[in-house]
Amino acid sequence: MKMIQLLIALSLTALVLSGCRGRTSEKPPIHLNPNMDTQEKYKPQSRSRFFKDEATMRMPVEGTVARGLLKADLPFYTGRNTDSSFVNTNPVALTEQVMNRGQERFNIYCAPCHSRLGDGKGIITQYQYPIPPTSFHQDRIRSMPDGEIFEIISQGIRNMPSYRHQIPVADRWAIIHYVRALQRSQHAVLSDIPKNQRDRIRP
Ligand code: HEC
């Protein structure tokens, strides 16, 4: 019995070794289990004799949306309502966490130009930036709908570049919450302060 096993092992080794011929060969390698390697198929970018336009690579059916990429929530993704007017209220609910995120992102992405106060005197103004960044503390920007600021961040405006690639959608809305906080901080009236704290304000 042992002998037979040894013989089988030896002949298998011989078979394996004889496979390594040590030189190149034009013949296809021995392929014991070819699976579907040699089936008829189209290679990418190759020509098709089946389709009229002769392209093997087909476009997705019109209206196809990749998983997770359905952007049906217009106000959130575009800052506009279905009638294409700007949304007035921020679609992201305000929480302390959102405000902190907005502050952090604002200080990273907007403050270099608009300054941490939003007064448009960011550090770039020391280096002859051609157009002074806008101050947020003017009535025109204070009364601007949230959706319009969203669009400005997403598309850029005149001399301000777009930040849609750097800032994800939810962060843009968080930044807008923070811009509103900055505006209130620079334009506060006495009634913004809780009654029991007003005596702490010096006239
Ligand atoms: C590279 C500098 C730069 C950065 C960064 C920048 N801005 Fe601006 N922004 C400008 C300039 C310059 C203008 C004025 C554009 C003009 O009038 O030509 C402007 C204008 C604006 C305006 C007013 C647009 C109008 O209607 O007049 C808003 C609102 C604004 N920026 C928001 C933001 C926010 C929010 C961020 C951060 C996500 C940001 N900006 C980042 C340079 C910048």
Side-chain angles (χ1 to χ4, degrees), residues 106 109-110 113-114 124 129 131-134 136 140-141 144 149 152-153 157-161 163 167 175 179:
F106 179 91
Y109 288 110
C110 317
C113 296
H114 289 279
I124 57 146
Y129 196 75
I131 302 283
T134 311
F136 300 147
R140 188 173 66 83
I141 311 288
M144 198 177 253
I149 302 185
I152 291 169
I153 304 176
I157 184 164
R158 296 183 298 271
N159 290 283
M160 177 184 146
Y163 283 89
I167 310 176
I175 287 176
V179 166

PDB file of all heavy atoms in Angstrom, residues 106 109-110 113-114 124 129 131-134 136 140-141 144 149 152-153 157-161 163 167 175 179, ligand 1:
ATOM      1  N   PHE A 106     -16.684  77.154   8.836  1.00  0.00           N
ATOM      2  CA  PHE A 106     -16.579  78.556   8.422  1.00  0.00           C
ATOM      3  C   PHE A 106     -15.143  79.050   8.641  1.00  0.00           C
ATOM      4  O   PHE A 106     -14.550  79.677   7.761  1.00  0.00           O
ATOM      5  CB  PHE A 106     -17.556  79.432   9.228  1.00  0.00           C
ATOM      6  CG  PHE A 106     -17.464  80.892   8.865  1.00  0.00           C
ATOM      7  CD1 PHE A 106     -18.267  81.413   7.860  1.00  0.00           C
ATOM      8  CD2 PHE A 106     -16.560  81.740   9.491  1.00  0.00           C
ATOM      9  CE1 PHE A 106     -18.174  82.759   7.496  1.00  0.00           C
ATOM     10  CE2 PHE A 106     -16.461  83.080   9.134  1.00  0.00           C
ATOM     11  CZ  PHE A 106     -17.265  83.581   8.134  1.00  0.00           C
ATOM     12  N   TYR A 109     -12.971  77.429   5.893  1.00  0.00           N
ATOM     13  CA  TYR A 109     -13.186  77.695   4.470  1.00  0.00           C
ATOM     14  C   TYR A 109     -13.528  79.139   4.134  1.00  0.00           C
ATOM     15  O   TYR A 109     -13.321  79.569   3.010  1.00  0.00           O
ATOM     16  CB  TYR A 109     -14.303  76.783   3.923  1.00  0.00           C
ATOM     17  CG  TYR A 109     -13.863  75.349   3.813  1.00  0.00           C
ATOM     18  CD1 TYR A 109     -14.370  74.375   4.658  1.00  0.00           C
ATOM     19  CD2 TYR A 109     -12.907  74.973   2.866  1.00  0.00           C
ATOM     20  CE1 TYR A 109     -13.957  73.058   4.570  1.00  0.00           C
ATOM     21  CE2 TYR A 109     -12.492  73.663   2.772  1.00  0.00           C
ATOM     22  CZ  TYR A 109     -13.013  72.709   3.618  1.00  0.00           C
ATOM     23  OH  TYR A 109     -12.605  71.419   3.524  1.00  0.00           O
ATOM     24  N   CYS A 110     -14.125  79.861   5.021  1.00  0.00           N
ATOM     25  CA  CYS A 110     -14.584  81.205   4.663  1.00  0.00           C
ATOM     26  C   CYS A 110     -13.720  82.288   5.305  1.00  0.00           C
ATOM     27  O   CYS A 110     -13.499  83.337   4.702  1.00  0.00           O
ATOM     28  CB  CYS A 110     -16.036  81.407   5.086  1.00  0.00           C
ATOM     29  SG  CYS A 110     -17.118  80.008   4.740  1.00  0.00           S
ATOM     30  N   CYS A 113     -10.871  84.653   3.813  1.00  0.00           N
ATOM     31  CA  CYS A 113     -11.264  85.815   3.019  1.00  0.00           C
ATOM     32  C   CYS A 113     -12.220  86.720   3.792  1.00  0.00           C
ATOM     33  O   CYS A 113     -12.046  87.926   3.850  1.00  0.00           O
ATOM     34  CB  CYS A 113     -11.933  85.366   1.722  1.00  0.00           C
ATOM     35  SG  CYS A 113     -10.808  84.452   0.670  1.00  0.00           S
ATOM     36  N   HIS A 114     -13.266  86.117   4.368  1.00  0.00           N
ATOM     37  CA  HIS A 114     -14.319  86.947   4.974  1.00  0.00           C
ATOM     38  C   HIS A 114     -14.012  87.301   6.427  1.00  0.00           C
ATOM     39  O   HIS A 114     -14.764  88.048   7.033  1.00  0.00           O
ATOM     40  CB  HIS A 114     -15.664  86.228   4.889  1.00  0.00           C
ATOM     41  CG  HIS A 114     -16.199  86.159   3.487  1.00  0.00           C
ATOM     42  ND1 HIS A 114     -16.864  87.201   2.892  1.00  0.00           N
ATOM     43  CD2 HIS A 114     -16.136  85.183   2.550  1.00  0.00           C
ATOM     44  CE1 HIS A 114     -17.211  86.865   1.655  1.00  0.00           C
ATOM     45  NE2 HIS A 114     -16.775  85.647   1.422  1.00  0.00           N
ATOM     46  N   ILE A 124      -6.436  87.365   3.615  1.00  0.00           N
ATOM     47  CA  ILE A 124      -6.032  87.604   2.227  1.00  0.00           C
ATOM     48  C   ILE A 124      -6.042  89.081   1.873  1.00  0.00           C
ATOM     49  O   ILE A 124      -5.387  89.492   0.926  1.00  0.00           O
ATOM     50  CB  ILE A 124      -6.904  86.865   1.190  1.00  0.00           C
ATOM     51  CG1 ILE A 124      -8.350  87.258   1.365  1.00  0.00           C
ATOM     52  CG2 ILE A 124      -6.713  85.395   1.183  1.00  0.00           C
ATOM     53  CD1 ILE A 124      -9.065  87.287   0.040  1.00  0.00           C
ATOM     54  N   TYR A 129      -5.586  91.005  -2.507  1.00  0.00           N
ATOM     55  CA  TYR A 129      -6.624  90.249  -3.217  1.00  0.00           C
ATOM     56  C   TYR A 129      -7.400  91.259  -4.057  1.00  0.00           C
ATOM     57  O   TYR A 129      -7.762  92.320  -3.575  1.00  0.00           O
ATOM     58  CB  TYR A 129      -7.542  89.559  -2.208  1.00  0.00           C
ATOM     59  CG  TYR A 129      -8.398  88.457  -2.802  1.00  0.00           C
ATOM     60  CD1 TYR A 129      -7.840  87.228  -3.129  1.00  0.00           C
ATOM     61  CD2 TYR A 129      -9.756  88.644  -3.024  1.00  0.00           C
ATOM     62  CE1 TYR A 129      -8.611  86.216  -3.663  1.00  0.00           C
ATOM     63  CE2 TYR A 129     -10.537  87.635  -3.561  1.00  0.00           C
ATOM     64  CZ  TYR A 129      -9.954  86.424  -3.878  1.00  0.00           C
ATOM     65  OH  TYR A 129     -10.717  85.412  -4.402  1.00  0.00           O
ATOM     66  N   ILE A 131     -10.366  91.824  -5.297  1.00  0.00           N
ATOM     67  CA  ILE A 131     -11.686  92.344  -4.932  1.00  0.00           C
ATOM     68  C   ILE A 131     -11.869  92.108  -3.437  1.00  0.00           C
ATOM     69  O   ILE A 131     -11.664  90.985  -2.972  1.00  0.00           O
ATOM     70  CB  ILE A 131     -12.794  91.560  -5.671  1.00  0.00           C
ATOM     71  CG1 ILE A 131     -12.589  91.639  -7.179  1.00  0.00           C
ATOM     72  CG2 ILE A 131     -14.172  92.040  -5.264  1.00  0.00           C
ATOM     73  CD1 ILE A 131     -12.981  92.924  -7.817  1.00  0.00           C
ATOM     74  N   PRO A 132     -12.229  93.117  -2.669  1.00  0.00           N
ATOM     75  CA  PRO A 132     -12.412  92.863  -1.234  1.00  0.00           C
ATOM     76  C   PRO A 132     -13.594  91.913  -1.005  1.00  0.00           C
ATOM     77  O   PRO A 132     -14.648  92.098  -1.620  1.00  0.00           O
ATOM     78  CB  PRO A 132     -12.699  94.257  -0.659  1.00  0.00           C
ATOM     79  CG  PRO A 132     -12.991  95.138  -1.804  1.00  0.00           C
ATOM     80  CD  PRO A 132     -12.472  94.500  -3.049  1.00  0.00           C
ATOM     81  N   PRO A 133     -13.415  90.883  -0.190  1.00  0.00           N
ATOM     82  CA  PRO A 133     -14.537  89.990   0.115  1.00  0.00           C
ATOM     83  C   PRO A 133     -15.667  90.786   0.786  1.00  0.00           C
ATOM     84  O   PRO A 133     -15.409  91.748   1.502  1.00  0.00           O
ATOM     85  CB  PRO A 133     -13.935  88.974   1.087  1.00  0.00           C
ATOM     86  CG  PRO A 133     -12.471  89.041   0.837  1.00  0.00           C
ATOM     87  CD  PRO A 133     -12.181  90.455   0.461  1.00  0.00           C
ATOM     88  N   THR A 134     -16.878  90.360   0.515  1.00  0.00           N
ATOM     89  CA  THR A 134     -18.047  91.072   1.023  1.00  0.00           C
ATOM     90  C   THR A 134     -18.157  90.925   2.536  1.00  0.00           C
ATOM     91  O   THR A 134     -17.872  89.864   3.079  1.00  0.00           O
ATOM     92  CB  THR A 134     -19.302  90.464   0.361  1.00  0.00           C
ATOM     93  OG1 THR A 134     -19.064  90.388  -1.041  1.00  0.00           O
ATOM     94  CG2 THR A 134     -20.538  91.279   0.632  1.00  0.00           C
ATOM     95  N   PHE A 136     -20.525  90.421   5.688  1.00  0.00           N
ATOM     96  CA  PHE A 136     -21.873  89.865   5.869  1.00  0.00           C
ATOM     97  C   PHE A 136     -22.756  90.801   6.687  1.00  0.00           C
ATOM     98  O   PHE A 136     -23.934  90.556   6.862  1.00  0.00           O
ATOM     99  CB  PHE A 136     -21.796  88.503   6.582  1.00  0.00           C
ATOM    100  CG  PHE A 136     -20.994  87.479   5.822  1.00  0.00           C
ATOM    101  CD1 PHE A 136     -20.251  86.520   6.492  1.00  0.00           C
ATOM    102  CD2 PHE A 136     -20.997  87.473   4.433  1.00  0.00           C
ATOM    103  CE1 PHE A 136     -19.513  85.584   5.787  1.00  0.00           C
ATOM    104  CE2 PHE A 136     -20.261  86.528   3.723  1.00  0.00           C
ATOM    105  CZ  PHE A 136     -19.514  85.585   4.406  1.00  0.00           C
ATOM    106  N   ARG A 140     -28.144  93.968   2.812  1.00  0.00           N
ATOM    107  CA  ARG A 140     -28.359  93.126   1.626  1.00  0.00           C
ATOM    108  C   ARG A 140     -28.054  91.653   1.943  1.00  0.00           C
ATOM    109  O   ARG A 140     -28.791  90.758   1.542  1.00  0.00           O
ATOM    110  CB  ARG A 140     -27.466  93.603   0.475  1.00  0.00           C
ATOM    111  CG  ARG A 140     -27.772  92.909  -0.851  1.00  0.00           C
ATOM    112  CD  ARG A 140     -26.975  93.540  -1.976  1.00  0.00           C
ATOM    113  NE  ARG A 140     -25.544  93.333  -1.830  1.00  0.00           N
ATOM    114  CZ  ARG A 140     -24.905  92.233  -2.209  1.00  0.00           C
ATOM    115  NH1 ARG A 140     -25.586  91.247  -2.755  1.00  0.00           N
ATOM    116  NH2 ARG A 140     -23.599  92.123  -2.052  1.00  0.00           N
ATOM    117  N   ILE A 141     -26.974  91.402   2.675  1.00  0.00           N
ATOM    118  CA  ILE A 141     -26.624  90.011   2.972  1.00  0.00           C
ATOM    119  C   ILE A 141     -27.478  89.493   4.144  1.00  0.00           C
ATOM    120  O   ILE A 141     -27.866  88.324   4.163  1.00  0.00           O
ATOM    121  CB  ILE A 141     -25.125  89.888   3.318  1.00  0.00           C
ATOM    122  CG1 ILE A 141     -24.270  90.599   2.279  1.00  0.00           C
ATOM    123  CG2 ILE A 141     -24.711  88.421   3.450  1.00  0.00           C
ATOM    124  CD1 ILE A 141     -24.174  89.937   0.932  1.00  0.00           C
ATOM    125  N   MET A 144     -30.643  88.293   2.767  1.00  0.00           N
ATOM    126  CA  MET A 144     -30.509  87.312   1.684  1.00  0.00           C
ATOM    127  C   MET A 144     -31.098  85.970   2.142  1.00  0.00           C
ATOM    128  O   MET A 144     -30.828  85.534   3.254  1.00  0.00           O
ATOM    129  CB  MET A 144     -29.009  87.142   1.417  1.00  0.00           C
ATOM    130  CG  MET A 144     -28.649  86.531   0.117  1.00  0.00           C
ATOM    131  SD  MET A 144     -26.825  86.505  -0.022  1.00  0.00           S
ATOM    132  CE  MET A 144     -26.552  87.770  -1.222  1.00  0.00           C
ATOM    133  N   ILE A 149     -27.408  82.070  -0.196  1.00  0.00           N
ATOM    134  CA  ILE A 149     -26.049  81.880   0.333  1.00  0.00           C
ATOM    135  C   ILE A 149     -25.564  80.471  -0.013  1.00  0.00           C
ATOM    136  O   ILE A 149     -24.408  80.270  -0.382  1.00  0.00           O
ATOM    137  CB  ILE A 149     -26.018  82.112   1.862  1.00  0.00           C
ATOM    138  CG1 ILE A 149     -26.511  83.517   2.169  1.00  0.00           C
ATOM    139  CG2 ILE A 149     -24.609  81.892   2.411  1.00  0.00           C
ATOM    140  CD1 ILE A 149     -26.419  83.922   3.615  1.00  0.00           C
ATOM    141  N   ILE A 152     -24.344  80.567  -3.435  1.00  0.00           N
ATOM    142  CA  ILE A 152     -23.068  81.274  -3.553  1.00  0.00           C
ATOM    143  C   ILE A 152     -21.917  80.345  -3.144  1.00  0.00           C
ATOM    144  O   ILE A 152     -20.898  80.267  -3.825  1.00  0.00           O
ATOM    145  CB  ILE A 152     -23.087  82.560  -2.692  1.00  0.00           C
ATOM    146  CG1 ILE A 152     -24.070  83.570  -3.305  1.00  0.00           C
ATOM    147  CG2 ILE A 152     -21.695  83.161  -2.569  1.00  0.00           C
ATOM    148  CD1 ILE A 152     -24.381  84.755  -2.422  1.00  0.00           C
ATOM    149  N   ILE A 153     -22.117  79.602  -2.046  1.00  0.00           N
ATOM    150  CA  ILE A 153     -21.055  78.665  -1.639  1.00  0.00           C
ATOM    151  C   ILE A 153     -20.873  77.593  -2.725  1.00  0.00           C
ATOM    152  O   ILE A 153     -19.758  77.216  -3.070  1.00  0.00           O
ATOM    153  CB  ILE A 153     -21.389  77.970  -0.294  1.00  0.00           C
ATOM    154  CG1 ILE A 153     -21.657  79.005   0.803  1.00  0.00           C
ATOM    155  CG2 ILE A 153     -20.262  77.026   0.124  1.00  0.00           C
ATOM    156  CD1 ILE A 153     -22.092  78.399   2.119  1.00  0.00           C
ATOM    157  N   ILE A 157     -19.417  83.192  -6.784  1.00  0.00           N
ATOM    158  CA  ILE A 157     -20.104  84.369  -7.345  1.00  0.00           C
ATOM    159  C   ILE A 157     -19.045  85.398  -7.735  1.00  0.00           C
ATOM    160  O   ILE A 157     -18.122  85.671  -6.962  1.00  0.00           O
ATOM    161  CB  ILE A 157     -21.131  84.945  -6.355  1.00  0.00           C
ATOM    162  CG1 ILE A 157     -21.910  86.102  -6.983  1.00  0.00           C
ATOM    163  CG2 ILE A 157     -20.495  85.386  -5.042  1.00  0.00           C
ATOM    164  CD1 ILE A 157     -23.177  86.468  -6.225  1.00  0.00           C
ATOM    165  N   ARG A 158     -19.161  85.890  -8.955  1.00  0.00           N
ATOM    166  CA  ARG A 158     -18.173  86.848  -9.476  1.00  0.00           C
ATOM    167  C   ARG A 158     -16.738  86.448  -9.092  1.00  0.00           C
ATOM    168  O   ARG A 158     -16.231  85.471  -9.614  1.00  0.00           O
ATOM    169  CB  ARG A 158     -18.528  88.261  -9.018  1.00  0.00           C
ATOM    170  CG  ARG A 158     -19.868  88.737  -9.594  1.00  0.00           C
ATOM    171  CD  ARG A 158     -20.170  90.136  -9.200  1.00  0.00           C
ATOM    172  NE  ARG A 158     -20.311  90.310  -7.776  1.00  0.00           N
ATOM    173  CZ  ARG A 158     -21.459  90.168  -7.116  1.00  0.00           C
ATOM    174  NH1 ARG A 158     -22.579  89.897  -7.775  1.00  0.00           N
ATOM    175  NH2 ARG A 158     -21.523  90.302  -5.823  1.00  0.00           N
ATOM    176  N   ASN A 159     -16.120  87.189  -8.148  1.00  0.00           N
ATOM    177  CA  ASN A 159     -14.715  86.891  -7.835  1.00  0.00           C
ATOM    178  C   ASN A 159     -14.534  85.883  -6.711  1.00  0.00           C
ATOM    179  O   ASN A 159     -13.418  85.657  -6.255  1.00  0.00           O
ATOM    180  CB  ASN A 159     -13.986  88.182  -7.467  1.00  0.00           C
ATOM    181  CG  ASN A 159     -13.821  89.036  -8.695  1.00  0.00           C
ATOM    182  OD1 ASN A 159     -12.973  88.785  -9.527  1.00  0.00           O
ATOM    183  ND2 ASN A 159     -14.681  90.030  -8.835  1.00  0.00           N
ATOM    184  N   MET A 160     -15.621  85.317  -6.238  1.00  0.00           N
ATOM    185  CA  MET A 160     -15.479  84.285  -5.208  1.00  0.00           C
ATOM    186  C   MET A 160     -15.586  82.909  -5.852  1.00  0.00           C
ATOM    187  O   MET A 160     -16.536  82.650  -6.581  1.00  0.00           O
ATOM    188  CB  MET A 160     -16.566  84.446  -4.145  1.00  0.00           C
ATOM    189  CG  MET A 160     -16.501  83.350  -3.115  1.00  0.00           C
ATOM    190  SD  MET A 160     -17.844  83.472  -1.930  1.00  0.00           S
ATOM    191  CE  MET A 160     -18.103  81.738  -1.629  1.00  0.00           C
ATOM    192  N   PRO A 161     -14.600  82.042  -5.602  1.00  0.00           N
ATOM    193  CA  PRO A 161     -14.659  80.711  -6.224  1.00  0.00           C
ATOM    194  C   PRO A 161     -15.733  79.830  -5.592  1.00  0.00           C
ATOM    195  O   PRO A 161     -16.220  80.124  -4.510  1.00  0.00           O
ATOM    196  CB  PRO A 161     -13.273  80.137  -5.944  1.00  0.00           C
ATOM    197  CG  PRO A 161     -12.750  80.877  -4.767  1.00  0.00           C
ATOM    198  CD  PRO A 161     -13.400  82.234  -4.785  1.00  0.00           C
ATOM    199  N   TYR A 163     -17.156  76.491  -3.733  1.00  0.00           N
ATOM    200  CA  TYR A 163     -16.609  75.564  -2.730  1.00  0.00           C
ATOM    201  C   TYR A 163     -17.381  74.258  -2.676  1.00  0.00           C
ATOM    202  O   TYR A 163     -17.347  73.560  -1.681  1.00  0.00           O
ATOM    203  CB  TYR A 163     -16.569  76.254  -1.349  1.00  0.00           C
ATOM    204  CG  TYR A 163     -15.402  77.207  -1.303  1.00  0.00           C
ATOM    205  CD1 TYR A 163     -15.541  78.515  -1.719  1.00  0.00           C
ATOM    206  CD2 TYR A 163     -14.142  76.754  -0.944  1.00  0.00           C
ATOM    207  CE1 TYR A 163     -14.458  79.367  -1.775  1.00  0.00           C
ATOM    208  CE2 TYR A 163     -13.055  77.595  -0.994  1.00  0.00           C
ATOM    209  CZ  TYR A 163     -13.216  78.896  -1.404  1.00  0.00           C
ATOM    210  OH  TYR A 163     -12.127  79.713  -1.466  1.00  0.00           O
ATOM    211  N   ILE A 167     -16.694  71.439   0.253  1.00  0.00           N
ATOM    212  CA  ILE A 167     -17.625  71.442   1.386  1.00  0.00           C
ATOM    213  C   ILE A 167     -18.864  70.610   1.058  1.00  0.00           C
ATOM    214  O   ILE A 167     -19.639  70.978   0.176  1.00  0.00           O
ATOM    215  CB  ILE A 167     -18.046  72.890   1.731  1.00  0.00           C
ATOM    216  CG1 ILE A 167     -16.805  73.790   1.854  1.00  0.00           C
ATOM    217  CG2 ILE A 167     -18.847  72.923   3.024  1.00  0.00           C
ATOM    218  CD1 ILE A 167     -17.123  75.251   2.086  1.00  0.00           C
ATOM    219  N   ILE A 175     -22.648  75.875   7.824  1.00  0.00           N
ATOM    220  CA  ILE A 175     -21.932  77.155   7.707  1.00  0.00           C
ATOM    221  C   ILE A 175     -22.940  78.309   7.658  1.00  0.00           C
ATOM    222  O   ILE A 175     -22.752  79.349   8.285  1.00  0.00           O
ATOM    223  CB  ILE A 175     -21.036  77.155   6.442  1.00  0.00           C
ATOM    224  CG1 ILE A 175     -19.823  76.257   6.664  1.00  0.00           C
ATOM    225  CG2 ILE A 175     -20.613  78.568   6.078  1.00  0.00           C
ATOM    226  CD1 ILE A 175     -18.918  76.103   5.449  1.00  0.00           C
ATOM    227  N   VAL A 179     -23.146  81.636   9.758  1.00  0.00           N
ATOM    228  CA  VAL A 179     -23.120  82.992   9.186  1.00  0.00           C
ATOM    229  C   VAL A 179     -24.246  83.822   9.824  1.00  0.00           C
ATOM    230  O   VAL A 179     -24.062  84.984  10.185  1.00  0.00           O
ATOM    231  CB  VAL A 179     -23.279  82.946   7.649  1.00  0.00           C
ATOM    232  CG1 VAL A 179     -23.586  84.326   7.087  1.00  0.00           C
ATOM    233  CG2 VAL A 179     -22.019  82.388   7.001  1.00  0.00           C
TER     234      VAL A 179
HETATM  235  C1  HEC B   1     -10.896  83.057  -1.710  1.00  0.00           C
HETATM  236  C2  HEC B   1     -11.617  84.027  -0.940  1.00  0.00           C
HETATM  237  C3  HEC B   1     -13.029  83.670  -0.509  1.00  0.00           C
HETATM  238  C4  HEC B   1     -13.451  82.597   0.217  1.00  0.00           C
HETATM  239  C5  HEC B   1     -12.610  81.458   0.759  1.00  0.00           C
HETATM  240  C6  HEC B   1     -14.866  82.756   0.407  1.00  0.00           C
HETATM  241  N1  HEC B   1     -15.288  83.900  -0.190  1.00  0.00           N
HETATM  242 FE1  HEC B   1     -17.171  84.633  -0.202  1.00  0.00          FE
HETATM  243  N2  HEC B   1     -16.576  86.192  -1.324  1.00  0.00           N
HETATM  244  C7  HEC B   1     -15.281  86.439  -1.726  1.00  0.00           C
HETATM  245  C8  HEC B   1     -15.231  87.621  -2.558  1.00  0.00           C
HETATM  246  C9  HEC B   1     -13.996  88.213  -3.192  1.00  0.00           C
HETATM  247  C10 HEC B   1     -16.549  88.100  -2.636  1.00  0.00           C
HETATM  248  C11 HEC B   1     -17.048  89.292  -3.438  1.00  0.00           C
HETATM  249  C12 HEC B   1     -17.273  88.812  -4.841  1.00  0.00           C
HETATM  250  C13 HEC B   1     -17.555  89.928  -5.789  1.00  0.00           C
HETATM  251  O1  HEC B   1     -18.379  90.790  -5.469  1.00  0.00           O
HETATM  252  O2  HEC B   1     -16.948  89.901  -6.869  1.00  0.00           O
HETATM  253  C14 HEC B   1     -17.377  87.187  -1.841  1.00  0.00           C
HETATM  254  C15 HEC B   1     -18.743  87.310  -1.674  1.00  0.00           C
HETATM  255  C16 HEC B   1     -19.504  86.532  -0.826  1.00  0.00           C
HETATM  256  C17 HEC B   1     -20.897  86.740  -0.537  1.00  0.00           C
HETATM  257  C18 HEC B   1     -21.766  87.886  -1.059  1.00  0.00           C
HETATM  258  C19 HEC B   1     -22.175  87.656  -2.477  1.00  0.00           C
HETATM  259  C20 HEC B   1     -22.980  88.812  -3.022  1.00  0.00           C
HETATM  260  O3  HEC B   1     -24.120  88.610  -3.416  1.00  0.00           O
HETATM  261  O4  HEC B   1     -22.455  89.922  -3.058  1.00  0.00           O
HETATM  262  C21 HEC B   1     -21.273  85.751   0.336  1.00  0.00           C
HETATM  263  C22 HEC B   1     -22.661  85.542   0.954  1.00  0.00           C
HETATM  264  C23 HEC B   1     -20.120  84.913   0.568  1.00  0.00           C
HETATM  265  N3  HEC B   1     -19.062  85.411  -0.156  1.00  0.00           N
HETATM  266  C24 HEC B   1     -20.115  83.811   1.400  1.00  0.00           C
HETATM  267  C25 HEC B   1     -19.010  82.993   1.583  1.00  0.00           C
HETATM  268  C26 HEC B   1     -19.014  81.821   2.418  1.00  0.00           C
HETATM  269  C27 HEC B   1     -20.188  81.332   3.254  1.00  0.00           C
HETATM  270  C28 HEC B   1     -17.768  81.271   2.329  1.00  0.00           C
HETATM  271  C29 HEC B   1     -17.261  79.995   2.956  1.00  0.00           C
HETATM  272  C30 HEC B   1     -17.889  78.791   2.510  1.00  0.00           C
HETATM  273  C31 HEC B   1     -16.971  82.109   1.440  1.00  0.00           C
HETATM  274  N4  HEC B   1     -17.774  83.138   1.012  1.00  0.00           N
HETATM  275  C32 HEC B   1     -15.658  81.868   1.108  1.00  0.00           C
HETATM  276  C33 HEC B   1     -14.179  85.672  -1.448  1.00  0.00           C
HETATM  277  C34 HEC B   1     -14.194  84.488  -0.755  1.00  0.00           C
END
